[in-house]
């Protein structure tokens, strides 16, 4: 089989052990999601539709809710900043650190900071940055990057992690998961205490009360703030929801959709710096709302992708992701959501990632599991059309010419004639298929045996 698309080549050349880790890691989470959601709710689709409507409503009135959130945070004592692009948000974080003579930062998991390459930027500017999510910490010491939105090291095994810990001086080789976790905990504990700044993302933001909601299973986001005087939250502008009441719906959906949990273990609601009555907590809270081409996506015909709450459910169920893994998508966001979001966020670099929308079977499974009901297959088709119209060469590789097929489908007489002759395909060998595109397509697939053509006759005589 010819594999001219880059993601096909990556899947073909993937180490079998890594492939199995990707496949089983995604499959098991998808099965847990299905069991939990359908056990707890009679009609989960109603919840998904409601959540989708709330997110879409928020996006359609984003200017209003951003202004409301800014006022709410300021009322709580937080400082609000806005950053147009990745350079601006990185520079703003560095500026806050320099103004406070801060040298080190402990950081919780954040896809947005991956998007802006913030870790590398701060290190190049003389700051010590420590990832505190266990998976992200392992990626940091391996100089690697996430392959999954929720479980960033799904592609790794414990033997490789044990070697990394031994190399970094975190103990002799030991691949017992509990030992690895204890060693990481011991190493990170002192980092929490010594750091000057705690840096987090934000899963949701309530415009009504001005509260950032942080969802983790390790509690590390809370630890990042406990001993530090400064908390900086870097948040995409699409993370807003209108009211606190909406949070109940989304917190129930994100745990069940992402990992099959009824609720994630730790849920923090951060309104601002500590009050006079509180003994612990940051003295400064900085909220940085980041655009980074999100308003361009909002203005496009793919704006529904901004509903995404980063649960990873679409990755887990996607047959392409299961076979290829997250690194095959060559961008921060893998899987079906990444195939839509990454080319859009690339801006002028769209042609470089224009092949990603083709990394889908269009089976619709991603839409069926999405907790905010994003019509991902429709968006993928729109981006394929955009790539075709803009002549993106990377998207054209390996694509057969379907002009003959398009003509056949648009001419009723030709279509009916072709159907009446369909049974002849049972007897034509692949090498004798007359058209190059059909020959190429059939060279990699098998047609089902033609079962007869009586349907149209039956339908025509039906009253």
């Amino acid at each position: 089989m010819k594999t001219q698309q880059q993601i096909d080549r990556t899947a073909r050349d993937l180490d079998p052990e890594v492939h199995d880790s990707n496949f089983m890691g995604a499959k098991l989470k998808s099965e847990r999601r299905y069991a939990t959601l359908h056990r707890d709710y009679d009609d989960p689709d109603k919840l998904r539709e409601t959540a989708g409507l709330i997110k879409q409503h928020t996006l359609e009135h984003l200017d209003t809710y951003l202004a409301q959130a800014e006022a709410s945070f300021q009322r709580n004592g937080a400082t609000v900043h806005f950053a147009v692009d990745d350079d601006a948000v990185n520079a703003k974080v560095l500026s806050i650190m320099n103004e406070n003579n801060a040298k080190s930062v402990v950081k919780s998991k954040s896809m947005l900071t991956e998007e802006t390459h913030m870790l590398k930027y701060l290190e190049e500017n003389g700051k010590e940055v420590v990832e505190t999510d266990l998976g992200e910490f392992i990626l940091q010491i391996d100089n690697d990057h996430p392959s999954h939105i929720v479980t960033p090291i799904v592609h790794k095994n414990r033997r490789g992690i044990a070697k990394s810990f031994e190399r970094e001086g975190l103990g002799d080789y030991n691949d017992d998961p509990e030992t690895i976790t204890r060693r990481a905990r011991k190493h990170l504990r002192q980092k929490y205490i010594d750091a000057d700044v705690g840096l987090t993302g934000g899963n949701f933001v309530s415009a009504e009360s001005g509260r950032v909601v942080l969802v983790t299973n390790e509690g590390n986001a809370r630890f990042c703030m406990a001993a530090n005087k400064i908390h900086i939250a870097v948040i995409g502008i699409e993370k807003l929801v209108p009211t606190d009441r909406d949070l109940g719906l989304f917190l129930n959906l994100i745990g069940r959709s992402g990992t099959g949990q009824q609720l994630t273990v730790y849920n923090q609601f951060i309104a601002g710096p500590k009050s006079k009555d509180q003994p612990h907590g940051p003295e400064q809270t900085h909220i940085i709302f980041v655009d980074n081409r999100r308003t361009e996506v909002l203005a496009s015909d793919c704006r529904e992708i901004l509903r995404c709450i980063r649960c990873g459910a679409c990755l887990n169920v996607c047959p392409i992701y299961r076979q290829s893994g997250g690194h095959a998508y060559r961008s921060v966001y893998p899987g079906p959501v990444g195939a839509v979001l990454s080319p859009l966020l690339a801006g002028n670099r769209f042609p470089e990632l224009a092949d990603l929308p083709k990394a889908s079977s269009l089976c619709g499974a991603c839409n069926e599991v999405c907790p905010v009901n994003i019509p991902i297959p429709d968006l993928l088709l729109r981006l394929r059309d955009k790539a075709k119209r803009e002549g993106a060469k990377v998207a054209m590789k390996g694509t057969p010419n379907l002009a003959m097929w398009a003509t056949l489908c648009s001419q009723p007489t030709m279509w009916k004639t072709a159907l009446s002759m369909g049974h002849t395909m049972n007897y034509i060998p692949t090498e004798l298929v007359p058209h190059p595109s059909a020959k190429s397509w059939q060279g990699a697939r098998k047609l089902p045996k033609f079962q007869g053509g009586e349907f149209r006759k039956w339908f025509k005589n039906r009253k």
Side-chain angles (χ1 to χ4, degrees), residues 269-432:
F269 298 76
I270 311 299
K274 70 174 184 178
S275 67
K276 294 179 181 177
D277 301 329
Q278 292 176 311
H280 304 294
E283 296 173 2
Q284 298 179 36
T285 298
H286 295 268
I287 308 296
I288 306 178
F289 283 118
V290 183
D291 185 330
N292 208 26
R293 295 200 175 95
R294 282 161 174 74
T295 51
E296 293 178 24
V297 178
L298 188 59
S300 75
D301 60 354
C302 295
R303 61 181 67 86
E304 296 95 330
I305 198 64
L306 292 178
R307 296 180 200 164
C308 178
I309 60 173
R310 311 287 192 267
C311 69
C314 62
L315 280 66
N316 298 334
V317 78
C318 177
I320 309 302
Y321 176 87
R322 288 181 178 183
Q323 296 297 329
S324 61
H327 288 167
Y329 290 80
R330 317 191 313 278
S331 57
V332 174
Y333 302 103
V337 63
V340 177
L341 192 57
S342 296
L344 290 170
L345 292 179
N348 294 333
R349 292 178 45 250
F350 172 81
E352 298 176 22
L353 299 176
D355 58 314
L356 294 184
K358 301 180 73 175
S360 171
S361 60
L362 296 181
C363 61
C366 49
N367 180 211
E368 291 179 3
V369 301
C370 178
V372 284
N373 199 27
I374 301 173
I376 294 176
D378 292 345
L379 305 186
L380 291 169
L381 288 174
R382 291 171 200 170
L383 288 180
R384 290 185 187 185
D385 178 58
K386 175 181 168 67
K388 172 69 176 176
R389 284 186 282 105
E390 296 184 5
K393 293 181 180 177
V394 70
M396 299 301 117
K397 287 184 178 178
T399 302
N401 189 337
L402 296 176
M404 182 177 174
W405 174 257
T407 302
L408 183 67
C409 293
S410 58
Q411 302 294 327
T413 302
M414 290 179 63
W415 178 253
K416 291 176 184 176
T417 303
L419 284 183
S420 67
M421 300 176 64
H423 66 281
T424 59
M425 293 299 291
N426 288 341
Y427 310 105
I428 300 178
T430 301
E431 59 272 19
L432 298 181

Side-chain angles (χ1 to χ4, degrees), residues 19 48 63 74 77 100 131 138 141 144 160 162 214 225-226 251 263 296 333 348 350 374 376 429-430:
H19 168 270
R48 299 192 311 112
D63 53 344
Q74 290 173 340
N100 291 276
E131 294 278 6
I138 292 165
I141 63 177
D144 197 354
L214 296 167
M225 289 175 276
L251 289 174
L263 200 64
E296 293 178 24
Y333 302 103
N348 294 333
F350 172 81
I374 301 173
I376 294 176
T430 301

Side-chain angles (χ1 to χ4, degrees), residues 9 19 37 104:
R9 295 199 300 272
H19 168 270
L37 204 56
S104 59

Side-chain angles (χ1 to χ4, degrees), residues 207-218:
E208 177 188 45
S209 62
R211 292 199 287 186
V212 180
V213 181
L214 296 167
V215 174
T216 71
N217 275 321
E218 300 176 13

Side-chain angles (χ1 to χ4, degrees), residues 155-224:
H155 59 293
K156 291 181 179 290
N157 60 47
R158 61 184 182 178
R159 296 187 300 281
I161 296 169
K163 291 178 183 175
S164 299
F165 271 49
E166 183 182 33
R167 184 194 64 223
E168 297 297 318
L170 297 174
D172 296 334
Y173 180 89
N174 190 320
D175 60 13
D176 172 51
E178 186 173 335
T179 302
I180 291 172
T181 306
R182 287 185 182 280
R183 288 175 176 176
R185 184 185 301 166
K186 181 181 179 181
H187 174 76
L188 292 174
R189 183 174 293 142
Q190 195 60 44
K191 298 294 183 183
Y192 286 125
I193 296 172
D194 294 340
D196 301 310
V197 172
L199 182 66
T200 73
N203 293 90
F204 305 102
V205 171
S206 167
E208 177 188 45
S209 62
R211 292 199 287 186
V212 180
V213 181
L214 296 167
V215 174
T216 71
N217 275 321
E218 300 176 13
N220 58 304
R222 181 69 184 93
F223 294 151
C224 287

